[in-house]
Amino acid sequence: MTTGRPARRITQRDIARLAGVSQPTVSLVLNGRVDADIRIPQETRERVLRAIRESGYVPDPVARRLAARNNRILGVFTYEAVFPSDTSDFYHPFLVGIEEAAEQAGCDLLLLTSASVTGGRRRVLEGDNRLRLADGCLLLGRSLDRDDLRRMVADGYPFVAVGRRDDAGGPVPYVGADYATAVGRLVQLAVTRGHRRVAYLGLPADVESSADRRRGLLQATQKAEGSGVRVVSDELSPAREPDELLTALLAVHATVVLVEHFATAVGLVSAAERRGLAVPADLSVVTLGDPTTPVPTDVDFTGFHIPREEMGRQAVALLTGLVEGTADTTQRLLPCELVDGATLAPPLMR
């Protein structure tokens, strides 16, 4: 006769009684612990496993995660003062990729938004540090705090930077975009179309992404030196007014300008139109990435797209691999997508 009451769940204590061992021994066997100071005889291990099979014991997934110190929670931290939640924000596609990959991996995301803001920037290790609530953390931002990186590398805390980062007391795990190769391909395309006087409008190279772009430019132009290619200007500040920049570019007879900041490229095209100049006939304008802020324009720029969603997805994959000890590499560079638009053409012969 049945009572309708559910059968009592078999516990690790029950398994320990059936196998004639302690409950901690059962826990060690279940979690696959193999430590130098913890040795379980093979006969004891087999006895525990036999009791598990015969009893039909099903491990509690929550208990196993706690025992393994793995809660399937990944932290997400941005160094910007405002978390990038708007779809037009440059960092939003990263978060889309992160969310998709976390869902597929069965992980929850913990948005670390309580850090104090100093000088318009957060510090992940400052104040009430809640990193340890997560198994590991993803870091986003144009520039990451070097002291934070050094401390996390030294502590062995699992983290992944979205974007290539220089070593900080040791290799920094990252998933980045291969800006150097992308810029090199654009230079090669410009040379193929007859350009020999190249100008460059880049941001300060104290951030890895800008340094990588500049490195790609220098490597490509050096490789093409036999074709008479010259960088005629690379010191102009993109902070100057577009009309001033255009005047400076025309003064050095540049036929193509590579522009890191998308809004600056849009401003140059507008300045050229006001002077009755044609882009790309009088001056070709090439962009080195996607807009960091929304910039209204109908211009189909030649340049490249950054694989932002895929960087987010692969950052999650790398982080879960680091947490679980299965990552075969800690640093990845992804190719950028070249866009052959309408702003790079052979220069006019003057």
mmCIF file of all heavy atoms in Angstrom, residues 6 18 33 82 89 121 129 148-149 151 168 173 184 187 209 221 223 227 253 271 275 303 306 310 312 316 321 328 340:
data_model
loop_
_atom_site.group_PDB
_atom_site.id
_atom_site.type_symbol
_atom_site.label_atom_id
_atom_site.label_comp_id
_atom_site.label_asym_id
_atom_site.label_seq_id
_atom_site.Cartn_x
_atom_site.Cartn_y
_atom_site.Cartn_z
ATOM 1 N N PRO A 6 6.385 11.266 -0.992
ATOM 2 C CA PRO A 6 7.570 11.093 -1.821
ATOM 3 C C PRO A 6 8.656 10.355 -1.053
ATOM 4 O O PRO A 6 8.777 10.474 0.171
ATOM 5 C CB PRO A 6 7.994 12.528 -2.142
ATOM 6 C CG PRO A 6 7.440 13.356 -1.031
ATOM 7 C CD PRO A 6 6.162 12.689 -0.636
ATOM 8 N N LEU A 18 26.462 3.170 3.747
ATOM 9 C CA LEU A 18 26.467 1.969 2.918
ATOM 10 C C LEU A 18 27.883 1.523 2.567
ATOM 11 O O LEU A 18 28.173 0.325 2.503
ATOM 12 C CB LEU A 18 25.678 2.225 1.623
ATOM 13 C CG LEU A 18 24.161 2.412 1.764
ATOM 14 C CD1 LEU A 18 23.558 2.868 0.448
ATOM 15 C CD2 LEU A 18 23.520 1.104 2.227
ATOM 16 N N ARG A 33 38.339 15.121 -6.147
ATOM 17 C CA ARG A 33 39.492 15.776 -5.552
ATOM 18 C C ARG A 33 40.685 14.841 -5.524
ATOM 19 O O ARG A 33 40.613 13.708 -5.055
ATOM 20 C CB ARG A 33 39.166 16.216 -4.115
ATOM 21 C CG ARG A 33 38.244 17.383 -4.010
ATOM 22 C CD ARG A 33 38.980 18.684 -4.323
ATOM 23 N NE ARG A 33 40.042 18.912 -3.371
ATOM 24 C CZ ARG A 33 39.857 19.471 -2.175
ATOM 25 N NH1 ARG A 33 38.657 19.855 -1.800
ATOM 26 N NH2 ARG A 33 40.884 19.656 -1.365
ATOM 27 N N VAL A 82 29.247 54.958 -16.411
ATOM 28 C CA VAL A 82 27.869 54.567 -16.674
ATOM 29 C C VAL A 82 27.875 53.213 -17.357
ATOM 30 O O VAL A 82 28.565 53.019 -18.350
ATOM 31 C CB VAL A 82 27.154 55.604 -17.571
ATOM 32 C CG1 VAL A 82 25.731 55.151 -17.865
ATOM 33 C CG2 VAL A 82 27.153 56.973 -16.900
ATOM 34 N N ASP A 89 25.347 52.347 -27.605
ATOM 35 C CA ASP A 89 26.645 52.457 -26.963
ATOM 36 C C ASP A 89 27.633 51.489 -27.605
ATOM 37 O O ASP A 89 27.282 50.365 -27.979
ATOM 38 C CB ASP A 89 26.518 52.161 -25.463
ATOM 39 C CG ASP A 89 27.797 52.477 -24.703
ATOM 40 O OD1 ASP A 89 28.737 51.660 -24.742
ATOM 41 O OD2 ASP A 89 27.858 53.549 -24.086
ATOM 42 N N ARG A 121 35.945 57.355 -13.334
ATOM 43 C CA ARG A 121 36.254 55.950 -13.587
ATOM 44 C C ARG A 121 36.034 55.118 -12.341
ATOM 45 O O ARG A 121 36.226 55.573 -11.221
ATOM 46 C CB ARG A 121 37.718 55.783 -14.032
ATOM 47 C CG ARG A 121 37.992 56.313 -15.415
ATOM 48 C CD ARG A 121 39.482 56.246 -15.740
ATOM 49 N NE ARG A 121 40.026 54.924 -15.505
ATOM 50 C CZ ARG A 121 39.885 53.894 -16.353
ATOM 51 N NH1 ARG A 121 39.182 54.054 -17.456
ATOM 52 N NH2 ARG A 121 40.413 52.725 -16.088
ATOM 53 N N ASN A 129 34.716 45.483 -2.203
ATOM 54 C CA ASN A 129 35.021 44.588 -3.315
ATOM 55 C C ASN A 129 34.143 43.342 -3.269
ATOM 56 O O ASN A 129 34.218 42.570 -2.321
ATOM 57 C CB ASN A 129 36.505 44.206 -3.255
ATOM 58 C CG ASN A 129 36.899 43.272 -4.373
ATOM 59 O OD1 ASN A 129 36.109 42.964 -5.258
ATOM 60 N ND2 ASN A 129 38.130 42.813 -4.327
ATOM 61 N N ASP A 148 44.854 47.319 -10.757
ATOM 62 C CA ASP A 148 43.846 46.267 -10.648
ATOM 63 C C ASP A 148 44.314 45.000 -11.353
ATOM 64 O O ASP A 148 44.207 43.889 -10.818
ATOM 65 C CB ASP A 148 42.524 46.727 -11.271
ATOM 66 C CG ASP A 148 41.754 47.707 -10.390
ATOM 67 O OD1 ASP A 148 42.158 47.893 -9.227
ATOM 68 O OD2 ASP A 148 40.759 48.275 -10.869
ATOM 69 N N LEU A 149 44.841 45.165 -12.569
ATOM 70 C CA LEU A 149 45.289 44.004 -13.332
ATOM 71 C C LEU A 149 46.430 43.277 -12.619
ATOM 72 O O LEU A 149 46.443 42.045 -12.534
ATOM 73 C CB LEU A 149 45.742 44.433 -14.734
ATOM 74 C CG LEU A 149 44.650 44.986 -15.653
ATOM 75 C CD1 LEU A 149 45.255 45.393 -16.992
ATOM 76 C CD2 LEU A 149 43.541 43.978 -15.866
ATOM 77 N N ARG A 151 47.117 43.185 -9.444
ATOM 78 C CA ARG A 151 46.652 42.502 -8.238
ATOM 79 C C ARG A 151 45.891 41.229 -8.584
ATOM 80 O O ARG A 151 46.057 40.190 -7.929
ATOM 81 C CB ARG A 151 45.775 43.448 -7.407
ATOM 82 C CG ARG A 151 46.567 44.544 -6.717
ATOM 83 C CD ARG A 151 45.643 45.538 -6.029
ATOM 84 N NE ARG A 151 44.802 44.918 -5.016
ATOM 85 C CZ ARG A 151 43.860 45.555 -4.337
ATOM 86 N NH1 ARG A 151 43.651 46.842 -4.578
ATOM 87 N NH2 ARG A 151 43.146 44.932 -3.427
ATOM 88 N N ALA A 168 50.825 42.506 -16.986
ATOM 89 C CA ALA A 168 50.771 43.281 -15.745
ATOM 90 C C ALA A 168 51.303 42.401 -14.619
ATOM 91 O O ALA A 168 50.552 41.811 -13.861
ATOM 92 C CB ALA A 168 49.342 43.743 -15.454
ATOM 93 N N PRO A 173 44.938 37.594 -19.197
ATOM 94 C CA PRO A 173 44.017 36.885 -20.085
ATOM 95 C C PRO A 173 43.126 37.878 -20.826
ATOM 96 O O PRO A 173 42.575 38.794 -20.217
ATOM 97 C CB PRO A 173 43.191 36.015 -19.127
ATOM 98 C CG PRO A 173 43.986 35.957 -17.855
ATOM 99 C CD PRO A 173 44.695 37.264 -17.775
ATOM 100 N N GLY A 184 46.885 47.166 -41.326
ATOM 101 C CA GLY A 184 47.840 46.799 -42.361
ATOM 102 C C GLY A 184 47.155 46.455 -43.668
ATOM 103 O O GLY A 184 47.624 46.836 -44.757
ATOM 104 N N VAL A 187 46.038 49.713 -45.333
ATOM 105 C CA VAL A 187 47.171 50.400 -45.951
ATOM 106 C C VAL A 187 47.522 49.724 -47.274
ATOM 107 O O VAL A 187 47.749 50.387 -48.294
ATOM 108 C CB VAL A 187 48.381 50.420 -45.000
ATOM 109 C CG1 VAL A 187 49.624 50.942 -45.728
ATOM 110 C CG2 VAL A 187 48.092 51.278 -43.773
ATOM 111 N N SER A 209 44.731 49.421 -27.675
ATOM 112 C CA SER A 209 44.030 49.403 -28.956
ATOM 113 C C SER A 209 44.575 50.451 -29.909
ATOM 114 O O SER A 209 44.717 50.199 -31.121
ATOM 115 C CB SER A 209 42.526 49.607 -28.735
ATOM 116 O OG SER A 209 42.273 50.825 -28.044
ATOM 117 N N THR A 221 53.476 50.372 -43.806
ATOM 118 C CA THR A 221 54.148 51.384 -44.624
ATOM 119 C C THR A 221 55.625 51.049 -44.809
ATOM 120 O O THR A 221 56.190 51.287 -45.877
ATOM 121 C CB THR A 221 53.996 52.776 -44.000
ATOM 122 O OG1 THR A 221 54.380 52.739 -42.616
ATOM 123 C CG2 THR A 221 52.558 53.260 -44.110
ATOM 124 N N LYS A 223 56.791 48.058 -44.956
ATOM 125 C CA LYS A 223 56.803 46.961 -45.924
ATOM 126 C C LYS A 223 56.641 47.480 -47.343
ATOM 127 O O LYS A 223 57.155 46.892 -48.303
ATOM 128 C CB LYS A 223 55.678 45.978 -45.590
ATOM 129 C CG LYS A 223 55.656 44.728 -46.443
ATOM 130 C CD LYS A 223 54.568 43.783 -45.991
ATOM 131 C CE LYS A 223 54.549 42.528 -46.852
ATOM 132 N NZ LYS A 223 53.474 41.584 -46.389
ATOM 133 N N SER A 227 57.694 51.005 -52.703
ATOM 134 C CA SER A 227 56.724 51.588 -53.636
ATOM 135 C C SER A 227 56.632 53.100 -53.484
ATOM 136 O O SER A 227 55.789 53.735 -54.120
ATOM 137 C CB SER A 227 55.339 50.965 -53.415
ATOM 138 O OG SER A 227 55.380 49.563 -53.569
ATOM 139 N N HIS A 253 49.954 67.463 -48.557
ATOM 140 C CA HIS A 253 49.576 66.763 -49.794
ATOM 141 C C HIS A 253 49.226 65.292 -49.550
ATOM 142 O O HIS A 253 49.540 64.416 -50.370
ATOM 143 C CB HIS A 253 50.699 66.856 -50.837
ATOM 144 C CG HIS A 253 51.120 68.266 -51.122
ATOM 145 N ND1 HIS A 253 50.305 69.177 -51.771
ATOM 146 C CD2 HIS A 253 52.275 68.940 -50.807
ATOM 147 C CE1 HIS A 253 50.941 70.349 -51.874
ATOM 148 N NE2 HIS A 253 52.126 70.230 -51.300
ATOM 149 N N ALA A 271 33.785 68.837 -43.725
ATOM 150 C CA ALA A 271 34.657 69.990 -43.974
ATOM 151 C C ALA A 271 35.076 70.039 -45.445
ATOM 152 O O ALA A 271 35.158 71.124 -46.052
ATOM 153 C CB ALA A 271 35.886 69.909 -43.073
ATOM 154 N N ARG A 275 34.210 72.972 -48.608
ATOM 155 C CA ARG A 275 35.223 73.624 -49.447
ATOM 156 C C ARG A 275 35.095 73.242 -50.919
ATOM 157 O O ARG A 275 35.923 73.632 -51.743
ATOM 158 C CB ARG A 275 36.622 73.251 -48.957
ATOM 159 C CG ARG A 275 36.954 73.759 -47.588
ATOM 160 C CD ARG A 275 38.439 73.707 -47.343
ATOM 161 N NE ARG A 275 38.759 73.916 -45.944
ATOM 162 C CZ ARG A 275 39.998 74.004 -45.474
ATOM 163 N NH1 ARG A 275 41.025 73.903 -46.305
ATOM 164 N NH2 ARG A 275 40.217 74.194 -44.188
ATOM 165 N N GLY A 303 36.758 50.883 -44.304
ATOM 166 C CA GLY A 303 37.361 50.696 -42.985
ATOM 167 C C GLY A 303 37.213 49.262 -42.527
ATOM 168 O O GLY A 303 37.311 48.332 -43.331
ATOM 169 N N ILE A 306 34.710 45.911 -35.921
ATOM 170 C CA ILE A 306 35.286 45.166 -34.802
ATOM 171 C C ILE A 306 34.323 44.049 -34.421
ATOM 172 O O ILE A 306 33.123 44.300 -34.273
ATOM 173 C CB ILE A 306 35.518 46.106 -33.600
ATOM 174 C CG1 ILE A 306 36.423 47.278 -34.006
ATOM 175 C CG2 ILE A 306 36.126 45.354 -32.418
ATOM 176 C CD1 ILE A 306 36.432 48.412 -32.998
ATOM 177 N N GLU A 310 31.273 38.743 -30.993
ATOM 178 C CA GLU A 310 32.068 37.514 -30.910
ATOM 179 C C GLU A 310 33.139 37.626 -29.830
ATOM 180 O O GLU A 310 33.460 36.647 -29.156
ATOM 181 C CB GLU A 310 32.711 37.210 -32.264
ATOM 182 C CG GLU A 310 33.487 35.899 -32.319
ATOM 183 C CD GLU A 310 32.630 34.679 -32.031
ATOM 184 O OE1 GLU A 310 31.390 34.754 -32.183
ATOM 185 O OE2 GLU A 310 33.199 33.640 -31.642
ATOM 186 N N GLY A 312 32.743 39.202 -27.037
ATOM 187 C CA GLY A 312 32.021 38.930 -25.796
ATOM 188 C C GLY A 312 31.780 37.448 -25.603
ATOM 189 O O GLY A 312 31.974 36.906 -24.501
ATOM 190 N N VAL A 316 33.579 34.929 -22.579
ATOM 191 C CA VAL A 316 32.879 34.040 -21.649
ATOM 192 C C VAL A 316 33.449 32.628 -21.737
ATOM 193 O O VAL A 316 33.691 31.968 -20.709
ATOM 194 C CB VAL A 316 31.368 34.022 -21.932
ATOM 195 C CG1 VAL A 316 30.673 32.928 -21.127
ATOM 196 C CG2 VAL A 316 30.756 35.373 -21.604
ATOM 197 N N GLY A 321 36.562 28.506 -19.081
ATOM 198 C CA GLY A 321 37.683 27.565 -19.170
ATOM 199 C C GLY A 321 38.705 27.805 -18.075
ATOM 200 O O GLY A 321 39.263 26.858 -17.505
ATOM 201 N N ASP A 328 42.964 26.147 -22.853
ATOM 202 C CA ASP A 328 44.228 25.774 -23.468
ATOM 203 C C ASP A 328 45.057 26.991 -23.874
ATOM 204 O O ASP A 328 46.198 26.862 -24.289
ATOM 205 C CB ASP A 328 43.997 24.879 -24.691
ATOM 206 C CG ASP A 328 43.092 25.548 -25.732
ATOM 207 O OD1 ASP A 328 42.615 26.662 -25.456
ATOM 208 O OD2 ASP A 328 42.866 24.943 -26.791
ATOM 209 N N ASP A 340 34.990 47.482 -47.717
ATOM 210 C CA ASP A 340 35.442 48.266 -48.870
ATOM 211 C C ASP A 340 34.305 49.174 -49.300
ATOM 212 O O ASP A 340 33.497 48.854 -50.169
ATOM 213 C CB ASP A 340 35.850 47.324 -50.007
ATOM 214 C CG ASP A 340 36.623 48.051 -51.103
ATOM 215 O OD1 ASP A 340 36.798 49.279 -50.967
ATOM 216 O OD2 ASP A 340 37.041 47.391 -52.068
#
